[in-house]
Amino acid sequence: METRRVKTNYGIVGLVFLIFFVISLLTNILGPLLPDLIAGFRLSLGLAGFLPFSLFFAYGVMSIPSGMLVERCGERAVIVAAFLVALAGSGAFALVPRFPAGLASLFLIGIGMAMLQVAINPLLRAAGGERHFAFNSVTAQLIFGLASFASPRVYVYLVNNLNGYAGGGNPMIAFLARMVPPEMPWVSLYWLFTVVTLTMALVSLAARIPSVGFTEQERVGAWATYAILLKDRRVRLYFLGIFCYVGTEQGLANWISKFLQTYHGLDPRSIGALVVSAFWGLMTAGCLAGLVLLKVFDSRAVLVGAAVSALAALSLALFGTASQSLLAFPLMGLCASVMWSIIFSLALNSMERHHGNFSGILCTAVIGGAVVPVVIGWLGDLFGLRQGMTLLYIPLAYILSIGFWARPLVSNATIRWKTAEKRATN
């Protein structure tokens, strides 16, 4: 057994949190953009679904190879390379805002984000401590939500200032006005992402990221190890859990704005984008509440409560009035806020070893964010978008079930656990 060289390292934890912010900034903007992309590229709902599909399908292609790259090349090299790949994708979409080019560009961005996710999740677990992984993971989700809350508002700001731009004013707006087609002001976001990914590549290159020194249990292995893991029923069940969560999250985030436009006649460039922002904003607020709840209750109980609340909110959002939908869609973000981190931590804490490999498998399950939006779009073309979005009841029901059958080897550290541990040492 190797000695871990990183135990509690707040510098690594802070860098991981910053990377989570950037991942969210790049991946969760498609929802507000989708009505513009549908109109600008003249897409059906089914074809529009292939835009998030391209982004999240990359996770299925790259997550397991990324785990092997982390072991072979180290975290720092993989993180820098990931930002360079995302830089190429962002720059390509900024330069060539066309549907086929967009699919390829989003795929490149997804490749970079998959590399980052695989590198930073075991890094966070090792640097922050195993018993605090659920807590730190929810904190990461909080930061993730902050970026998702901010990006639609950046989109609204850029579009409003670039529409009918007549010169003068903000130098950044003046520069972007020269770079983007007048009829496609949303392209300015990808110029912004180009700058962000370049900056993060330079920051990661300059940062001192020591080797985590994974234990044998955390070390990523060869294909044979993945084959062994995939025979384990727990691995397959948690893979499906992550698949269902990301599918639900992206199925909502990508179709909220179009749903409000279709059924309630609400402007996607203002109200729709701001409702998506509120969805992510309440997800951020939910993470704050989750930090408290996970210090008081078992994470499985928190997951059950979140899933039941999400099912109720989804019903109100899809079948309620306009005002009810405007309230219920953001509430879905509040309900979903702790799901990813709890499922991921329950999964890793349910296995005795091979956490690096398992992390790669779980990150592959992010492909749910590719599949579910496409299926919703396909069903939307056949039966209507409302009917298509009822598909989300299925993954939410599965997430609810996890709270009942999960049997982690290590439970989350609650106040009660800390009190008992203190008494035992006295």
Side-chain angles (χ1 to χ4, degrees):
M1 181 81 63
E2 295 182 23
T3 301
R4 187 190 302 277
R5 281 173 279 174
V6 175
K7 288 190 179 293
T8 301
N9 188 316
Y10 295 111
I12 290 180
V13 172
L15 179 60
V16 169
F17 288 164
L18 178 60
I19 292 172
F20 268 109
F21 184 92
V22 174
I23 291 173
S24 175
L25 195 70
L26 269 66
T27 58
N28 289 325
I29 191 59
L30 272 179
L33 281 180
L34 212 53
D36 267 346
L37 296 173
I38 290 171
F41 297 152
R42 298 180 181 178
L43 305 175
S44 67
L45 297 179
L47 276 177
F50 278 98
L51 291 162
F53 179 89
S54 295
L55 182 69
F56 286 93
F57 181 71
Y59 282 86
V61 173
M62 196 62 193
S63 289
I64 289 177
S66 294
M68 296 180 178
L69 282 174
V70 169
E71 181 162 348
R72 181 181 293 271
C73 305
E75 297 79 15
R76 180 169 175 266
V78 170
I79 290 170
V80 171
F83 280 120
L84 291 177
V85 173
L87 170 65
S90 300
F93 208 4
L95 290 168
V96 188
R98 299 290 182 269
F99 180 64
L103 294 177
S105 299
L106 291 170
F107 183 77
L108 285 176
I109 293 173
I111 289 286
M113 299 305 99
M115 294 169 69
L116 290 173
Q117 288 272 21
V118 172
I120 64 178
N121 274 297
L123 197 61
L124 182 60
R125 184 176 186 269
E130 297 173 1
R131 283 198 174 273
H132 300 286
F133 182 50
F135 184 86
N136 285 334
S137 190
V138 172
T139 304
Q141 281 295 96
L142 187 154
I143 294 168
F144 191 90
L146 282 173
S148 299
F149 173 75
S151 58
R153 294 173 181 272
V154 174
Y155 157 72
V156 170
Y157 170 80
L158 292 175
V159 167
N160 286 344
N161 281 275
L162 286 169
N163 271 332
Y165 179 74
N170 190 323
M172 180 186 72
I173 297 297
F175 170 78
L176 290 173
R178 293 193 297 270
M179 303 302 296
V180 305
E183 70 280 7
M184 293 183 174
W186 57 266
V187 175
S188 57
L189 275 170
Y190 284 90
W191 283 105
L192 175 64
F193 295 161
T194 300
V195 173
V196 169
T197 49
L198 175 60
T199 302
M200 286 302 300
L202 295 174
V203 168
S204 302
L205 188 63
R208 289 187 174 185
I209 305 176
S211 173
V212 171
F214 290 128
T215 63
E216 187 61 30
Q217 287 88 345
E218 293 167 331
R219 193 173 286 281
V220 174
W223 289 104
T225 306
Y226 287 103
I228 293 169
L229 282 172
L230 288 171
K231 292 179 183 177
D232 191 317
R233 181 170 174 268
R234 293 170 298 176
V235 172
R236 298 193 300 272
L237 288 173
Y238 280 115
F239 174 92
L240 187 55
I242 294 294
F243 182 99
C244 286
Y245 168 74
V246 182
T248 300
E249 177 196 273
Q250 294 302 316
L252 282 166
N254 283 292
W255 290 113
I256 285 174
S257 186
K258 186 63 179 175
F259 179 93
L260 294 174
Q261 181 187 35
T262 301
Y263 293 102
H264 301 301
L266 301 175
D267 181 16
R269 284 188 173 181
S270 55
I271 296 175
L274 293 178
V275 171
V276 176
S277 175
F279 168 83
W280 293 113
L282 281 184
M283 182 174 285
T284 305
C287 288
L288 288 172
L291 293 176
V292 176
L293 291 173
L294 286 169
K295 288 300 181 183
V296 179
F297 301 105
D298 186 283
S299 60
R300 290 166 290 184
V302 177
L303 184 63
V304 168
V308 170
S309 301
L311 286 165
L314 178 63
S315 299
L316 189 62
L318 295 183
F319 301 105
T321 63
S323 59
Q324 290 170 338
S325 290
L326 289 173
L327 174 66
F329 275 127
L331 282 176
M332 288 293 296
L334 183 68
C335 300
S337 58
V338 296
M339 290 180 181
W340 163 276
S341 51
I342 290 177
I343 296 170
F344 211 102
S345 60
L346 283 172
L348 293 188
N349 287 336
S350 295
M351 301 295 291
E352 299 87 350
R353 56 180 183 168
H354 300 308
H355 295 116
N357 303 79
F358 194 15
S359 178
I361 291 172
L362 292 175
C363 286
T364 303
V366 174
I367 198 173
V371 175
V372 174
V374 168
V375 176
I376 289 174
W378 175 70
L379 292 173
D381 282 332
L382 291 176
F383 307 110
L385 185 56
R386 175 180 282 125
Q387 288 71 26
M389 291 184 74
T390 61
L391 176 73
L392 297 174
Y393 284 111
I394 298 173
L396 282 172
Y398 185 83
I399 292 169
L400 172 63
S401 76
I402 296 173
F404 295 102
W405 55 253
R407 296 291 183 271
L409 301 173
V410 181
S411 297
N412 57 299
T414 63
I415 294 172
R416 183 179 300 176
W417 172 83
K418 287 186 176 181
T419 303
E421 183 185 50
K422 186 177 181 180
R423 288 174 179 170
T425 56
N426 287 338

